[in-house]
Each structure stands twice: as C-alpha cells, then as structure tokens.
C-alpha cells in the first residue's frame, strides 16, 4: 500500500508542476530524467526513490499526452471563424451579454465540449437540437489562476 502512496504522491506533484510551470516539451526531458532516476534507484535498491521517480515520470507524460492529443486539435483552430454544427446538451441560460448553452462540436471526428454564446436567439433551443451557426472558436485559458477556464480545460 505504501508503494501506491509514493507513486500517487509523485504523480500528483508532477502533474501540478506541469500545469503551473512547464506545459511544453521540457516535460518530456524531465520525464526522461525521472525514468533514469527510477532505474538508478532500482539498481541501488532504493525502492521508494524508484517508485516515486516512476510516478513523477508517468505524471508528466500523462499531462503532456493529454494536452497534445486531446487539447491539441482545439488549439489548432482557436481564434478562427467557421460555420459549424453543434449539438445542444443543456438548457440555455442567461448571461450578462445574452445567452449561453453547453454544446458538443465535432472536431477531427471527436466530440469536443464547448459553450456557445449568442444573443436571445438561443432561448428556444433544447437539449438534442442541432444548431448551425457562424462561430469564433476560442480555446479556454491555460492559466492555472483562472478557476473556471481551468475547469473547462480539464474537461476537454
């Protein structure tokens, strides 16, 4: 049981370092260093060091892979204007500037969760409706200091 605790603690610490500090290819170099440290710890029979280093490497690789494979396609189209078709997944709600509705957008044959902001024309849509519209696509912020957008980012 303690092995799992060492692995998990290092995984979480590495994920926090990635989100708050790295977010680029340096994470791969650091993960490689942790793999080497894990191998050295295993050779020197330092079991806790080996397990913690392996947990840190897996944490960094997991975060880098998630950002690259899951969030990458959205980043590629962020800032562009396109005509898209979205599937509405929630009831519309009022915002300070109009209406908002949670929706799913197909991007590279993968459903992407999004929030569609518009004027009062959204008030009659219901979950399951398909809406075709001209949109400006913006990826949610990667700032760890902005709780709402970090929540949206973590949900893809």
């Amino acid at each position: 049981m303690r092995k799992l605790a060492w692995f998990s603690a290092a995984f979480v610490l590495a994920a926090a370092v990635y989100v708050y500090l790295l977010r680029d290819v340096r994470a791969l170099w650091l993960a490689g260093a942790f793999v080497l440290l894990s191998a050295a710890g295993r050779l020197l029979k330092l079991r806790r060091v080996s397990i913690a280093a392996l947990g840190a490497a897996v944490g960094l690789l997991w975060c880098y892979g998630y950002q690259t494979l899951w969030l990458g396609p959205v980043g590629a189209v962020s800032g562009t204007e396109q005509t898209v078709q979205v599937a509405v997944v929630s009831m519309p709600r009022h915002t300070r500037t109009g209406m908002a509705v949670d929706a799913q957008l197909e991007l590279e044959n993968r459903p992407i969760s999004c929030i569609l902001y518009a004027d009062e024309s959204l008030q009659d849509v219901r979950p399951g409706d398909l809406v075709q519209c001209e949109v400006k696509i913006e990826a949610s912020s990667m700032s760890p200091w902005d709780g709402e957008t970090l929540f949206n980012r973590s949900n893809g």
Side-chain angles (χ1 to χ4, degrees), residues 52-115:
L54 184 61
V58 172
L60 289 168
L61 292 172
W62 178 269
C63 290
Y64 184 80
Y66 181 81
Q67 179 165 346
T68 304
L69 300 174
W70 187 252
L71 302 177
V74 175
V77 296
S78 182
T80 64
E81 293 188 16
Q82 298 182 15
T83 300
V84 296
Q85 183 172 353
V86 297
V88 176
V89 296
S90 73
M91 295 297 288
R93 59 191 178 277
H94 290 279
T95 65
R96 282 182 276 144
T97 58
M99 304 288 291
V101 66
D102 295 327
Q104 283 201 334
L105 167 69
E106 283 276 328
L107 191 60
E108 294 185 7
N109 296 322
R110 197 179 77 215
I112 303 293
S113 297
C114 64
I115 302 172

Side-chain angles (χ1 to χ4, degrees), residues 88 92-94 97-101 116-126 129 131-134:
V88 176
R93 59 191 178 277
H94 290 279
T97 58
M99 304 288 291
V101 66
L116 182 63
Y117 294 99
D119 57 15
E120 298 296 322
S121 62
L122 279 181
Q123 72 185 29
D124 294 330
V125 298
R126 298 290 176 253
D129 288 351
V131 177
Q132 186 165 350
C133 50
E134 179 78 20

Side-chain angles (χ1 to χ4, degrees), residues 11-50:
F11 183 99
V12 168
L13 184 62
V17 166
Y18 183 87
V19 169
Y20 287 98
L21 300 175
L22 292 175
R23 289 181 291 193
D24 59 20
V25 75
R26 293 177 296 169
L28 296 179
W29 290 101
L30 190 55
F34 278 121
V35 167
L36 292 175
L37 181 61
S38 178
R42 189 164 176 89
L43 289 174
L44 298 172
K45 299 196 187 307
L46 300 171
R47 183 173 288 164
R48 289 181 182 159
V49 170
S50 177

